Amino acid sequence: MVGLNSAASLLLLSAGAALVSAAPAPAPTVAAKLSDAKRDAALKPRSGGACTFTDADAASASKTDCATIVLDNIAVPSGTTLDLTDLNDDTAVIFQGETTFGYAEWDGPMISISGTGIAISGASGNSLNGDGSRWWDGEGGNGGVTKPKFFYLHDLTDSTVTGLNILNTPVQCFSIDGSDGLTISDVTIDDSDGDTDDLGHNTDAFDIGESTYVTITGATVKNQDDCVAINSGSYITFTGGSCSGGHGLSIGSVGGRDDNTVENIYFADSTISDSDNGIRIKTIYDETGTVSNVTYTGITLSGINDYGIVIEQDYENGSPTGTPSNGITVSDVTITDISGSVGDDAAQIYILCGDGSCTDWTFSSITFTGGTDDSSDCENVPSGASCTISDISSSGTTSSSSSSNSTTSSTSSSSSSSSSSSSDSSDSSDSYSSSSPSSSAYSYSSSAADFYPSSSASSYSSVTASLDSKPTSTFATAYYASSATATYSSSAPSSTSSSDDDSDDNDDDDEESSQPSGFSSPDFGGQGFGNENVAGWRSRGRRL
């Protein structure tokens, strides 16, 4: 009997072993140091609920099971991306405590997040510590050890990043690519430890490409390269920022990429200190592309080493050559209300344009102390701009020989305004008309193409607004519409007409398109793009 029981037992054990061998492999176990509660949260998050992770791999594996992802003191293994791409719509991601990263020589990124309606934020006291000193060798991305890029914000739509504190990235911090409707606010990037022995290099804070409607507000940046570098994209705003130690607020280098168009860019109300450059636009030699409708306003400089304002079209292999080309046009550039100081050996303004490739610029109210006048080195400076600060007036024209060019430009603009205002609203031109010569109050009308991407412009025929003062560029219109309203049409107007404004004493400026029926009137709230009212207006317009 005992032998029979033993045999039966052996048969049962053999069958059990066969069943076990045929079963799926078990889920990876969590390190024993994790508590049961944290292990359960890492491996068995509540579907659609809030999940707290202390393990990077578990967070990546279970990212679509959670409506809110809390990353609690995550230690990301070496050579591994904290992968939160393709999140469910409207997922919240919260960085809590200190996020750290293992060392490996690789390209990165260390973190990558994508999706629609994603809200990325930092809890109080958060820190994303790249510990870049382990890679820094003074070479950046140009040589030495291979260094990982830090944080990819790629393919994000209608998303936000708020309140992150980032320390010591190995090279570039944020790479923003293929994103639309992304707002970044109150982010701190502190790579100042890289100043020691000049070891930190190529630590750009925000590199932007092929993206639309990106708004960055209230950023604090300490680094060794561009505070912002816009390589391609449109409707990009940077306001209320503080940049130090790097290369300033930059566009470019533009050229040599799949997308070489930069348009509708607005930098405002920011400070740049202890940096090589203040304001910079750079394009690549012998390439093609477009830079247009760019505004820098309300920028304060201090401790600038090389150039207060530099616009040059001679970059090749990452460095200026002194020989410009004209394949990339730079047009409709407004630089106004720029003040502060530059170093004694720095050039106040340096412009190196190709033949005929720089047009329709307006420089006004630029006042620097210190620095040198390098106007003799400038080439092909367009009318409305100058390399000599004393030639730049507060009204947007240049004195002496340049004043005639500015008058011509103003007359031409006025003529264009009158003709465009009476044209069909599907035209891409815009128009301004003053309600009275002394009031500085303007009405504005434009085709929707100026405010919406081309894919949406066909549905929205025109945009009108009442303004406190005439903006310096189409893109700045929203910034100046304080107590007034902006309006848009959900269908093409049946007709346009010209009407006289009784309060306008200037018969040449009083034509404007009539307002079609079916308009609604959200308020701009007196802010630039990125204000909640403005963002809501844009979203409604694009989604109707």
Side-chain angles (χ1 to χ4, degrees):
M1 190 68 175
V2 172
L4 182 59
N5 288 338
S6 299
S9 298
L10 288 172
L11 286 172
L12 289 171
L13 288 171
S14 298
L19 288 171
V20 169
S21 64
T29 58
V30 180
K33 66 180 180 179
L34 296 179
S35 68
D36 289 342
K38 290 184 176 180
R39 181 176 64 247
D40 290 343
L43 294 179
K44 298 179 180 179
R46 292 184 293 116
S47 179
C51 315
T52 298
F53 295 97
T54 57
D55 178 80
D57 291 337
S60 297
S62 301
K63 60 190 177 184
T64 58
D65 295 329
C66 313
T68 298
I69 297 171
V70 179
L71 303 168
D72 184 13
N73 289 289
I74 290 284
V76 182
S78 58
T80 300
T81 298
L82 177 56
D83 183 358
L84 298 178
T85 56
D86 299 319
L87 294 176
N88 293 335
D89 290 0
D90 303 317
T91 297
V93 178
I94 302 171
F95 287 87
Q96 181 172 285
E98 183 180 35
T99 304
T100 58
F101 305 84
Y103 176 83
E105 296 180 17
W106 68 304
D107 292 325
M110 299 166 115
I111 305 170
S112 185
I113 300 178
S114 68
T116 297
I118 309 303
I120 304 164
S121 64
S124 177
N126 78 90
S127 172
L128 284 68
N129 190 351
D131 196 6
S133 61
R134 294 173 293 174
W135 289 272
W136 291 337
D137 54 12
E139 299 286 342
N142 301 320
V145 301
T146 303
K147 305 167 186 71
K149 293 187 177 180
F150 191 68
F151 203 141
Y152 277 10
L153 299 174
H154 291 188
D155 302 316
L156 281 165
T157 301
D158 295 335
S159 298
T160 61
V161 179
T162 307
L164 297 184
N165 298 312
I166 296 171
L167 289 172
N168 299 328
T169 63
V171 278
Q172 293 89 346
C173 183
F174 285 113
S175 170
I176 301 169
D177 190 85
S179 292
D180 175 62
L182 175 63
T183 298
I184 301 172
S185 57
D186 301 324
V187 166
T188 296
I189 302 168
D190 186 354
D191 291 343
S192 56
D193 286 351
D195 293 342
T196 303
D197 298 325
D198 295 325
L199 292 178
H201 195 65
N202 295 141
T203 51
D204 304 41
F206 302 97
D207 282 344
I208 304 172
E210 299 188 34
S211 296
T212 54
Y213 293 102
V214 175
T215 299
I216 303 170
T217 63
T220 300
V221 175
K222 301 176 182 179
N223 67 345
Q224 296 80 33
D225 212 300
D226 295 313
C227 184
V228 179
I230 303 173
N231 299 312
S232 62
S234 61
Y235 296 98
I236 297 167
T237 299
F238 182 94
T239 61
S242 173
C243 309
S244 67
H247 295 172
L249 300 176
S250 300
I251 292 175
S253 301
V254 176
R257 296 177 171 84
D258 292 337
D259 184 346
N260 300 297
T261 298
V262 176
E263 59 185 1
N264 303 320
I265 310 301
Y266 189 66
F267 293 101
D269 304 325
S270 298
T271 63
I272 305 169
S273 61
D274 302 321
S275 298
D276 286 350
N277 313 298
I279 292 168
R280 178 166 68 163
I281 300 174
K282 52 182 179 174
T283 68
I284 297 178
Y285 177 80
D286 214 22
E287 293 287 350
T288 59
T290 301
V291 178
S292 64
N293 207 5
V294 175
T295 296
Y296 290 88
T297 182
I299 309 299
T300 302
L301 311 180
S302 64
I304 303 301
N305 300 319
D306 295 334
Y307 301 100
I309 298 170
V310 55
I311 302 175
E312 53 188 322
Q313 297 198 277
D314 63 338
Y315 262 66
E316 192 170 15
N317 298 321
S319 299
T321 63
T323 302
S325 64
N326 62 2
I328 299 174
T329 58
V330 182
S331 62
D332 297 312
V333 174
T334 297
I335 300 179
T336 184
D337 190 20
I338 312 299
S339 62
S341 64
V342 299
D344 290 341
D345 296 328
Q348 295 172 335
I349 302 173
Y350 176 60
I351 298 171
L352 186 66
C353 285
D355 184 14
S357 54
C358 296
T359 59
D360 299 322
W361 292 12
T362 300
F363 283 17
S364 65
S365 299
I366 299 173
T367 55
F368 295 151
T369 60
T372 61
D373 181 342
D374 285 8
S375 57
S376 61
D377 295 327
C378 295
E379 294 183 23
N380 298 313
V381 179
S383 62
S386 176
C387 285
T388 301
I389 285 183
S390 60
D391 287 346
I392 300 171
S393 73
S394 61
S395 62
T397 61
T398 55
S399 61
S400 65
S401 61
S402 298
S403 60
S404 60
N405 291 331
S406 297
T407 302
T408 302
S409 175
S410 176
T411 303
S412 174
S413 175
S414 176
S415 173
S416 172
S417 172
S418 296
S419 62
S420 66
S421 61
S422 60
S423 65
D424 188 278
S425 62
S426 63
D427 191 274
S428 61
S429 60
D430 55 27
S431 64
Y432 305 90
S433 63
S434 59
S435 61
S436 68
S438 60
S439 67
S440 297
Y442 285 79
S443 62
Y444 170 86
S445 64
S446 171
S447 77
D450 287 333
F451 285 82
Y452 301 99
S454 58
S455 61
S456 300
S458 59
S459 300
Y460 307 99
S461 59
S462 65
V463 177
T464 64
S466 297
L467 312 176
D468 286 343
S469 59
K470 184 174 179 178
T472 53
S473 69
T474 300
F475 184 63
T477 297
Y479 187 78
Y480 288 94
S482 59
S483 60
T485 58
T487 55
Y488 61 86
S489 172
S490 60
S491 62
S494 57
S495 65
T496 58
S497 63
S498 299
S499 60
D500 292 337
D501 187 335
D502 293 338
S503 64
D504 193 344
D505 296 331
N506 186 343
D507 292 336
D508 293 332
D509 291 336
D510 59 7
E511 293 183 342
E512 60 182 351
S513 298
S514 64
Q515 196 177 95
S517 60
F519 273 64
S520 57
S521 301
D523 193 347
F524 270 125
Q527 302 296 322
F529 286 95
N531 168 263
E532 290 182 1
N533 291 335
V534 177
W537 166 71
R538 180 183 70 82
S539 295
R540 285 192 294 274
R542 296 181 63 199
R543 291 175 177 172
L544 278 174

